[in-house]
């Protein structure tokens, strides 16, 4: 039976979205092809119909996820530091820490990408540079944009590894204050 082109594209999109949710929650390396397919509501054969293998799926997931993250920061109007501060606060929230499947791919998948092939690493680097460019537009500093990314991603990674919610909160509050300081420094340069 032949499926219409739209059906095939929808199945591919479900693989990327469902695979991303599962990979961000459990780790890409820990998820088998059958798991990734099941998370998308398709058969494991569909993975191989749409992708050259699991590593190509990872590269596609990374590309889609980081494009979404970059778009989120790019959609904030230039100079609207209050809106940017709210976006960073949401990133550094207990909800983001507690639900990796709904959040940013950077804290969830960076370690998997670091052990992956060059295609996934290239997609990661391109996506990370797009996030950096979106933040640099607001912070007007290469260093400040990298610092904001590294502090925020690192805080989420560390908070997810902690058991004590009070210690998590202290960490998140501390990094929010650091982000606010970066933003206020940017605002004072106007």
């Amino acid at each position: 039976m032949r499926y219409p082109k739209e059906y095939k594209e929808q199945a591919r999109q479900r693989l990327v979205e469902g695979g991303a949710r599962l990979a961000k929650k459990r780790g890409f390396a820990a998820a088998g092809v059958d798991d990734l397919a099941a998370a998308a509501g398709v058969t494991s054969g569909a993975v191989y119909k749409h992708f050259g293998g699991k590593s190509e799926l990872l590269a596609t997931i990374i590309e889609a996820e980081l494009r979404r993250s970059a778009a989120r920061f790019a959609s904030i109007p230039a100079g609207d530091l209050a809106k940017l501060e709210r976006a960073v606060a949401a990133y550094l929230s207990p909800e983001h820490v507690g639900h990796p499947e709904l959040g940013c791919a950077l804290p969830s998948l960076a370690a998997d990408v670091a052990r992956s092939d060059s295609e996934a690493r290239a997609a990661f680097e391109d996506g990370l540079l797009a996030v950096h460019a979106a933040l640099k537009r607001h912070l007007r500093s290469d260093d400040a944009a990298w610092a904001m990314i590294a502090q925020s991603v690192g805080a989420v990674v560390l908070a997810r590894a902690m058991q004590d919610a009070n210690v998590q909160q202290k960490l998140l509050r501390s990094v929010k204050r650091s982000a606010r300081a970066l933003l206020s420094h940017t605002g004072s340069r106007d």
Side-chain angles (χ1 to χ4, degrees), residues 42-184:
V42 299
T43 66
S44 57
V47 173
Y48 297 104
K49 284 181 185 172
H50 294 282
F51 303 98
K54 189 177 172 189
S55 63
E56 187 180 324
L57 175 57
L58 175 60
T60 304
I61 286 170
I62 291 298
E63 183 181 309
E65 287 290 312
L66 294 185
R67 184 177 341 126
R68 187 172 53 88
S69 293
R72 180 175 296 124
F73 289 112
S75 72
I76 298 170
D80 192 342
L81 296 180
K83 191 168 185 178
L84 181 59
E85 186 175 335
R86 286 191 301 275
V88 171
Y91 193 95
L92 295 167
S93 70
E95 293 77 24
H96 186 219
V97 169
H99 296 283
E101 71 279 10
L102 303 176
C104 177
L106 290 171
S108 299
L109 298 178
D112 284 319
V113 172
R115 291 184 289 272
S116 191
D117 64 13
S118 62
E119 184 181 6
R121 291 176 73 153
F124 183 86
E125 188 171 317
D126 290 346
L128 182 57
L129 288 170
V131 172
H132 176 267
L135 284 170
K136 183 179 175 186
R137 184 175 134 251
H138 297 288
L139 298 169
R140 297 189 308 265
S141 162
D142 232 25
D143 290 349
W146 285 124
M148 180 77 74
I149 292 168
Q151 289 177 6
S152 299
V153 171
V156 172
V157 169
L158 294 173
R160 285 180 179 164
M162 295 176 172
Q163 290 184 337
D164 188 326
N166 291 324
V167 179
Q168 280 182 347
Q169 285 289 24
K170 286 179 184 180
L171 169 66
L172 296 173
R173 277 194 306 270
S174 175
V175 176
K176 283 180 197 175
R177 282 192 297 273
S178 179
R180 227 177 277 122
L182 275 172
L183 291 171
S184 68

